[in-house]
Amino acid sequence: MTIQMESRFIYLMSCKIKFLVLFISLLAIIPSIRAQQIDLIANTDGRKSISLDGQWRTIVDPYEAGYYDYRYQPSANGYFKDAKPKTKSDLIEYDFDTSESLTVPGDWNTQRERLLLYEGTIWYKKSFDYQRTDHTRIFVYFGAANYIADVYLNGEKIGRHEGGFTPFNFEITKLVRDKSNSLIVKVDNHRRRDAVPTLITDWWNYGGLTRQVKLVETPATFVQDYFIQLRKGSRNQIKGWVRLNGGRLNQKVTVRIPEAGISKSFTAEANGYVEIGFNADLTLWSPNNPRLYDVLIEAETDRVQDKIGFRSIETRGTEILLNGQPIFLRGVCLHEEAPFRGGRAYSREDALTLLNWAKELGANFVRLAHYPHNEFMVREADRLGIMVWSEIPVYWTILWENPATLDNARTQLSEMITRDKNRAAVIVWSMANETPLGDARLSFLKKLIEHARSMDTSRLISAAMERHYIDTEEKTQMIDDPLGEYLDVLGCNEYVGWYDGLPEKTDRMEWKTKYQKPLIMSEFGAEAPYGNHGDSLTRWTEEYQENFYQHQVNMLKRISFLRGTSPWILMDFRSPRRPLPGIQDFYNRKGLISDRGEKKKAFYVMQKYYQELRESFEK
Ligand code: GCB
């Protein structure tokens, strides 16, 4: 070997070693990212909190000038520093305090006309004072931010969250000041191929701080989370756990349900976790009697109160049993879209309007499409006695082979279950909507199912799947998606009579499945703007939509294993995929009710069907 060759060899070896070291250290990082603890605080409404809702100063930043320098490197002096000129010669090119405001909660698209189609970054700033007392901890809690939120307090980064429809919180105990705290959030709603959801959806990509923001105060060691529900298959045994967070974890925890005469104590392990279990004689929650109990979770250092219902939900063959009784889910799909004013729904009033319309339809069930809705929806459903299907935005064409996409979906699933696992109303966790068959997709969804079951064994798992014809005359529909094997309840979306033929095509249709499981027809629908009239074969008319529903209902009645229906959709909603002028104008008009609250003719067809179903199931 010449000297030149030798030094070349040494150089190559040292490159290899460097690469190996890098690779090994990357491997070391990956598990810790995967194992990221979900430390959401449960039931923040049951705690002392200070709302940060209202006007926030905002800077629209399409080129992310507040984040990257001109070499496209993250800047150490980004907008999160909230800098002010100290002398008259200082150069600072932004100023939150003289910038325009946006209201939180609320999407940005419907607050300023020029933001309707905006997709990118907006910086939000809120100033607040906060007098911290000794032995308390303080967290900033976000109901949701679509889609990525980078959060800074007093110039320091406190965390990042990805996923547009689930809550997150960061502790700020050490950073908070008595006066003039500057809380800055960079919210970015760029769509990405590898994100969840991915690039295309049939709903508006509303950006911003779309749900409430608040400060949550807790004692030094506090009840961070708990799961208090009936054990699967039981109607009188409560099973669950409580988790404490803080420095004094090994302490006594008592669960009390005063109206049922229950007070049971347990001792938390050194890690703050304790399993609980006891017998309870309870009035069970049901749509006819949505009984909620006051439940107190008391540690030595903290106490939280919640309202919890108890019910059992299971399947037997093709039946769905609520508290042991066969039921039919008379449902309807909902987007989280605000009635009357448009944009994202975020308030208790929005939830009540939508859920009361569902009740008027005769529904005992809602499918909250296509992502977890705000907490008011599930809380009010709990109170009104409406069963809920809740899902994550694993929609259409997710990148099935990408591990980071799976991690992201899994985190969103965890956050959905973490927030809503104590709501009796929630009976179904759904994994995905209309996803295309394939091995990578099946393995992705099986992992999500496994994960959901590992967090909550008490609910039914479903997914909205597709169907196909097994005959050339297109008379027989088959549901045999291999995913069905792993679900408790089959979900199926079909648009026979709208995307597939005319309404009368349903008249000859038979449905089959290879699974001995209940089916929820999770979508069917047709479009008509309210007030557009014509004959029953003229597209886009209320009469066509009505005719579509009449034929659908006749077909649905013939499906022996059908145990639920959720037509698409309760109310018209905005969608960038629906441009037809004068008809759609960027709204999906499949609502049974318009976005102005007007009921279309089809509403009454479903209402009549649900009335009949109610009579036959409750006689
Ligand atoms: C579907 C999707 C839903 C759409 C709907 C439609 O199958 O699940 O998100 O909005 O069809 O109107 O085409």
Side-chain angles (χ1 to χ4, degrees):
M1 214 186 261
T2 64
I3 293 180
Q4 263 178 349
M5 277 169 79
E6 198 174 11
S7 59
R8 175 109 189 105
F9 175 72
I10 292 169
Y11 170 71
L12 281 176
M13 282 310 286
S14 78
C15 284
K16 272 192 178 167
I17 290 167
K18 271 187 203 149
F19 178 77
L20 219 78
V21 170
L22 187 74
F23 184 71
I24 291 169
S25 45
L26 270 178
L27 277 183
I29 296 171
I30 291 166
S32 72
I33 295 172
R34 290 233 168 112
Q36 209 173 36
Q37 168 90 7
I38 302 293
D39 40 26
L40 258 186
I41 301 174
N43 181 23
T44 53
D45 277 346
R47 303 203 149 270
K48 184 166 174 204
S49 64
I50 298 158
S51 172
L52 295 180
D53 292 347
Q55 297 297 299
W56 288 54
R57 296 287 181 177
T58 55
I59 300 176
V60 181
D61 189 12
Y63 280 39
E64 301 200 296
Y67 191 78
Y68 293 109
D69 66 17
Y70 81 124
R71 297 293 185 223
Y72 201 54
Q73 295 302 311
S75 159
N77 282 313
Y79 294 177
F80 48 86
K81 287 288 178 198
D82 194 13
K84 302 277 175 207
K86 289 194 184 71
T87 72
K88 63 182 182 187
S89 313
D90 277 358
L91 173 63
I92 293 177
E93 293 186 80
Y94 67 96
D95 181 7
F96 277 100
D97 299 328
T98 52
S99 296
E100 280 181 277
S101 297
L102 284 168
T103 306
V104 173
D107 63 83
W108 62 54
N109 314 70
T110 57
Q111 294 192 52
R112 260 182 233 160
E113 213 175 326
R114 64 180 190 280
L115 294 179
L116 182 66
L117 288 162
Y118 183 68
E119 294 185 304
T121 283
I122 292 190
W123 296 82
Y124 285 74
K125 177 195 163 179
K126 186 83 173 171
S127 303
F128 66 91
D129 298 339
Y130 177 74
Q131 304 292 323
R132 193 168 82 83
T133 45
D134 283 349
H135 313 298
T136 58
R137 291 166 69 185
I138 179 89
F139 299 81
V140 55
Y141 176 93
F142 296 84
N146 192 33
Y147 169 79
I148 288 187
D150 289 289
V151 186
Y152 305 82
L153 184 70
N154 300 331
E156 301 221 9
K157 182 146 187 179
I158 56 174
R160 159 175 274 219
H161 180 263
E162 177 163 0
F165 303 96
T166 43
F168 52 100
N169 46 234
F170 302 114
E171 181 158 13
I172 55 171
T173 310
K174 296 209 170 94
L175 276 178
V176 76
R177 304 192 288 236
D178 288 356
K179 290 264 168 243
S180 309
N181 288 283
S182 157
L183 177 63
I184 290 182
V185 191
K186 172 183 182 289
V187 186
D188 179 3
N189 77 334
H190 262 117
R191 284 170 293 127
R192 279 196 344 249
R193 179 71 187 96
D194 64 336
V196 182
T198 176
L199 292 172
I200 55 165
T201 61
D202 189 21
W203 70 82
W204 209 262
N205 182 22
Y206 290 118
L209 294 177
T210 49
R211 297 187 189 154
Q212 350 177 285
V213 182
K214 57 189 169 187
L215 300 174
V216 177
E217 197 182 282
T218 71
T221 300
F222 69 102
V223 176
Q224 185 202 306
D225 196 7
Y226 46 86
F227 187 28
I228 305 179
Q229 292 277 282
L230 288 175
R231 185 176 59 75
K232 179 91 183 165
S234 156
R235 270 168 261 155
N236 60 1
Q237 263 186 321
I238 286 179
K239 194 167 157 41
W241 48 263
V242 176
R243 184 164 47 234
L244 307 179
N245 181 317
R248 246 199 75 197
L249 295 172
N250 187 206
Q251 53 168 302
K252 190 169 101 178
V253 173
T254 305
V255 175
R256 295 205 298 122
I257 312 178
E259 293 143 297
I262 289 167
S263 176
K264 299 280 173 196
S265 295
F266 308 87
T267 305
E269 310 276 318
N271 61 6
Y273 180 84
V274 58
E275 288 198 356
I276 60 160
F278 47 86
N279 288 342
D281 180 15
L282 299 158
T283 302
L284 299 181
W285 183 100
S286 73
N288 288 337
N289 182 17
R291 176 80 157 97
L292 299 177
Y293 285 89
D294 284 324
V295 177
L296 293 106
I297 303 96
E298 298 175 342
E300 291 163 39
T301 53
D302 188 26
R303 179 178 190 272
V304 194
Q305 182 161 345
D306 206 343
K307 280 201 174 295
I308 301 183
F310 301 93
R311 50 100 196 94
S312 75
I313 189 79
E314 50 199 328
T315 61
R316 189 178 54 208
T318 59
E319 299 288 358
I320 299 175
L321 307 177
L322 175 74
N323 301 327
Q325 298 299 316
I327 48 160
F328 191 97
L329 304 174
R330 305 185 308 268
V332 65
C333 293
L334 298 182
H335 258 297
E336 191 186 42
E337 188 120 335
F340 307 113
R341 69 166 193 280
R344 272 274 166 265
Y346 50 71
S347 67
R348 189 189 304 279
E349 291 67 39
D350 293 336
L352 279 173
T353 306
L354 293 167
L355 293 174
N356 279 320
W357 282 341
K359 279 212 122 175
E360 227 181 301
L361 186 70
N364 60 7
F365 171 68
V366 286
R367 174 181 174 209
L368 302 182
H370 278 303
Y371 38 75
H373 288 209
N374 65 73
E375 197 169 353
F376 290 120
M377 286 298 279
V378 270
R379 290 264 178 194
E380 290 308 314
D382 233 18
R383 251 178 15 87
L384 292 170
I386 301 179
M387 294 174 277
V388 169
W389 155 316
S390 187
E391 68 192 57
I392 49 171
V394 173
Y395 182 91
W396 290 353
T397 54
I398 295 290
L399 273 193
W400 308 110
E401 320 237 353
N402 185 10
T405 305
L406 175 61
D407 278 349
N408 181 352
R410 208 192 264 122
T411 303
Q412 296 191 41
L413 180 61
S414 301
E415 289 167 345
M416 170 176 80
I417 297 177
T418 300
R419 194 193 69 184
D420 292 339
K421 63 189 173 306
N422 290 311
R423 304 286 74 82
V426 179
I427 56 164
V428 174
W429 300 127
S430 174
M431 302 296 112
N433 181 76
E434 287 181 0
T435 50
L437 303 189
D439 292 345
R441 166 267 197 178
L442 187 61
S443 126
F444 184 110
L445 295 180
K446 273 165 65 179
K447 287 186 185 125
L448 290 186
I449 293 172
E450 239 167 69
H451 184 64
R453 293 199 196 280
S454 76
M455 289 187 71
D456 178 7
T457 54
S458 74
R459 287 177 175 85
L460 306 176
I461 301 289
S462 193
M465 300 181 293
E466 293 175 314
R467 38 87 207 190
H468 63 102
Y469 290 108
I470 49 171
D471 51 355
T472 45
E473 312 87 75
E474 300 201 337
K475 280 189 183 159
T476 316
Q477 298 274 13
M478 175 58 113
I479 303 172
D480 58 3
D481 182 333
L483 180 64
E485 191 182 326
Y486 306 93
L487 306 177
D488 299 312
V489 179
L490 310 171
C492 179
N493 297 353
E494 56 91 5
Y495 285 84
V496 186
W498 183 253
Y499 295 123
D500 173 9
L502 296 175
E504 64 183 28
K505 188 172 180 186
T506 53
D507 297 349
R508 296 163 288 134
M509 201 142 285
E510 293 305 319
W511 284 78
K512 293 201 163 127
T513 176
K514 64 185 263 205
Y515 304 108
Q516 182 56 16
K517 295 184 182 186
L519 168 69
I520 299 175
M521 209 60 98
S522 38
E523 283 181 33
F524 49 95
E527 273 185 73
Y530 172 78
N532 193 31
H533 295 291
D535 65 65
S536 63
L537 284 178
T538 302
R539 289 254 174 198
W540 314 111
T541 63
E542 278 198 54
E543 287 69 17
Y544 187 110
Q545 192 192 29
E546 179 186 38
N547 186 34
F548 169 95
Y549 271 91
Q550 282 158 346
H551 284 271
Q552 277 285 329
V553 165
N554 288 336
M555 177 188 74
L556 295 169
K557 285 179 179 168
R558 297 198 306 272
I559 308 176
S560 63
F561 49 98
L562 187 73
R563 287 298 173 275
T565 49
S566 50
W568 190 256
I569 184 170
L570 182 69
M571 191 187 82
D572 294 351
F573 61 97
R574 229 187 213 111
S575 167
R577 297 173 62 84
R578 309 289 172 179
L580 191 63
I583 301 282
Q584 295 176 312
D585 300 316
F586 294 98
Y587 274 81
N588 182 319
R589 302 280 182 197
K590 293 195 186 72
L592 295 171
I593 303 182
S594 78
D595 51 308
R596 304 280 133 205
E598 298 130 329
K599 297 191 178 78
K600 305 179 194 172
K601 287 177 163 225
F603 180 93
Y604 301 101
V605 179
M606 270 326 272
Q607 192 184 47
K608 181 161 167 281
Y609 174 45
Y610 282 169
Q611 183 59 32
E612 287 166 23
L613 272 170
R614 186 179 186 143
E615 281 158 15
S616 70
F617 264 80
E618 288 176 12
K619 66 175 179 269

